[in-house]
Amino acid sequence: MAFTLYSLLQAALLCVNAIAVLHEERFLKNIGWGTDQGIGGFGEEPGIKSQLTNLIRSVRTVMRVPLIIVNSIAIVLLLLFG
Amino acid sequence: MQPAGLAAAGTPRQRKWPSKRRIPVSQPGMADPHQLFDDTSSAQSQGYGAQRGPGSLGYPAAAASPQAAFLADPVSNMAMAYGSSLAAQGKELVDKNIDRFIPVTKLKYYFAVDTLYVGKKLGLLFFPYLHQDWEVQYQQDTPVAPRFDINAPDLYIPAMAFITYVLVAGLALGTQDRFSPDLLGLQASSALAWLTLEVLAILLGLYLVTVNTDLTTIDLVAFLGYKYVGMIGGVLTGLLFGKTGYHLVLGWCCVSIFVFMIRTLRLKILAEAAAEGVPVRGARNQLRMYLTMAVAAAQPLLMYWLTFHLVR
């Protein structure tokens, strides 16, 4: 049973990196998940798709700088300790 | 409850401190056995005693002479006073800031349990079929402490059950000659990782379905921790009666936890529908129903996944 907290941390870092590399113009707009497509006003139900779009946009905005730091640390540590 | 009792019990004993502690500064081990946190120096004990203002009226006067006997010059007197005030400031700072990282006051609510509650809750976890009323009682907008309401979530049972699960896993591995001490840490880490993953997945699900619920993260951790009780039961039966016992008890506990989770989460997630007691059609309610079913169905799966390698 090798599922440890450390592997969870690694998986989380990789997932956040994956969300961060989704390009707004080249990719998200083409599949209709762009941030200016159909947000809808102050209606009652945001719906899953707009929640997901918002989530992706927020993660990309908020985690941009911390990801740089955490990735640099991870690179250095993995180079040193394998 | 407990600090008041300690202070009350500590007050008459403080008057005994000068007689017990006058001479041995070098023997920190000789302390009042009923005190939970011992001061290991007379200087610090005087500063600590001075903090408990009302109870220690007789103390500084009685301690003045032994202190004077040790510290003749005023400089070290001042240094001692400064040191004790620094310690008090540090304690204050920690107390003030600990609330930012660990919500201590909120956590205290989840540990306000007593034996009767624990007994009834364990019975409910193994046999939830006859319980009628699953609503948590409120008292002026705050939920009632678990001691008074069996439906309230608590963190005592999940914490104890988690630790017991790790120990029982060690026991099971030991009976199969597969034990080594780092395996205990691996089991604990693995179970914690699954718990964290579950909590994150459910939080993501709650966010996506835009549920307006008062289900806090700690509540969620409490509910997800209840499955460890069934896991312990299954593994212990597996140790005593072999694989058939394990499968029987684990199957029973899986169904019980499934029913328990559905009935508990229904009130939290499907608030409007549950209030009427009638399943309401509609896209939003359907999504919420799916979410509740998914959460409840994940429990038996995880219970099996985390224990099947322990019973051979």
Side-chain angles (χ1 to χ4, degrees), chain A residues 1-6 8 44-48 51-52 54-55 58, chain B residues 186 189-190 192-194 196-197 204 207-210 284 287 305 309:
Chain A
M1 189 56 74
F3 185 45
T4 60
L5 280 174
Y6 178 65
L8 191 64
E44 274 193 24
E45 310 179 9
I48 289 197
Q51 289 287 94
L52 262 180
N54 272 335
L55 186 65
S58 341
Chain B
L186 198 65
S189 181
S190 173
L192 261 183
W194 278 111
T196 316
L197 193 64
L204 181 71
Y207 171 76
L208 286 181
V209 182
T210 57
R284 257 170 98 210
L287 274 177
W305 183 257
H309 62 283

Side-chain angles (χ1 to χ4, degrees), chain B:
Chain B
M1 178 177 81
Q2 218 166 355
L6 263 184
T11 312
R13 280 194 195 87
Q14 272 187 326
R15 306 193 185 229
K16 287 195 200 162
W17 270 11
S19 59
K20 272 193 184 176
R21 293 179 154 273
R22 192 170 301 150
I23 301 157
V25 169
S26 54
Q27 294 181 23
M30 192 181 106
D32 198 320
H34 295 282
Q35 294 278 339
L36 273 188
F37 300 98
D38 288 327
D39 291 325
T40 52
S41 71
S42 59
Q44 207 174 350
S45 66
Q46 190 194 20
Y48 190 66
Q51 281 180 24
R52 296 195 193 181
S56 58
L57 285 177
Y59 178 72
S65 44
Q67 302 303 324
F70 282 109
L71 303 151
D73 54 339
V75 174
S76 60
N77 241 340
M78 222 167 56
M80 190 183 69
Y82 179 67
S84 67
S85 85
L86 208 59
Q89 266 180 20
K91 182 176 175 322
E92 232 179 74
L93 199 68
V94 166
D95 279 339
K96 215 172 26 150
N97 282 336
I98 195 84
D99 218 25
R100 263 196 251 157
F101 301 112
I102 312 173
V104 178
T105 40
K106 274 195 254 168
L107 276 181
K108 276 192 195 171
Y109 161 80
Y110 290 97
F111 285 100
V113 294
D114 61 348
T115 330
L116 198 60
Y117 169 82
V118 170
K120 283 200 269 182
K121 193 81 178 194
L122 287 178
L124 197 64
L125 283 171
F126 282 114
F127 199 78
Y129 308 106
L130 294 180
H131 190 71
Q132 298 298 336
D133 179 26
W134 294 80
E135 279 272 351
V136 179
Q137 296 164 18
Y138 279 80
Q139 186 194 21
Q140 296 161 357
D141 259 3
T142 57
V144 169
R147 193 175 307 157
F148 305 116
D149 178 23
I150 192 180
N151 293 320
D154 71 311
L155 276 180
Y156 173 79
I157 292 183
M160 292 290 132
F162 178 74
I163 297 176
T164 315
Y165 160 72
V166 175
L167 293 176
V168 167
L171 178 70
L173 289 174
T175 55
Q176 300 159 22
D177 278 336
R178 286 192 288 153
F179 181 76
S180 79
D182 46 335
L183 273 186
L184 272 184
L186 198 65
Q187 286 287 333
S189 181
S190 173
L192 261 183
W194 278 111
L195 187 69
T196 316
L197 193 64
E198 255 192 295
V199 171
L200 289 176
I202 295 180
L203 283 177
L204 181 71
L206 285 176
Y207 171 76
L208 286 181
V209 182
T210 57
V211 172
N212 280 334
T213 174
D214 56 350
L215 196 65
T216 64
T217 316
I218 309 184
D219 272 348
L220 210 50
V221 172
F223 287 135
L224 294 174
Y226 282 140
K227 63 174 176 291
Y228 292 118
V229 180
M231 280 157 58
I232 296 168
V235 175
L236 282 178
T237 327
L239 283 178
L240 291 173
F241 298 115
K243 278 207 117 165
T244 43
Y246 165 71
H247 284 302
L248 276 175
V249 174
L250 197 74
W252 173 270
C253 293
C254 284
V255 177
S256 306
I257 284 281
F258 185 72
V259 171
F260 178 86
M261 290 296 285
I262 291 216
R263 288 205 181 154
T264 313
L265 288 179
R266 197 171 61 118
L267 286 171
K268 299 265 181 184
I269 300 184
L270 292 162
E272 307 103 35
E276 303 159 20
V278 176
V280 178
R281 294 286 156 211
R284 257 170 98 210
N285 272 328
Q286 233 181 6
L287 274 177
R288 292 181 180 182
M289 197 57 183
Y290 285 152
L291 181 69
T292 321
M293 300 287 280
V295 171
Q299 308 295 306
L301 288 176
L302 275 175
M303 282 169 74
Y304 182 70
W305 183 257
L306 284 173
T307 52
F308 78 99
H309 62 283
L310 295 174
V311 179
R312 295 250 173 112

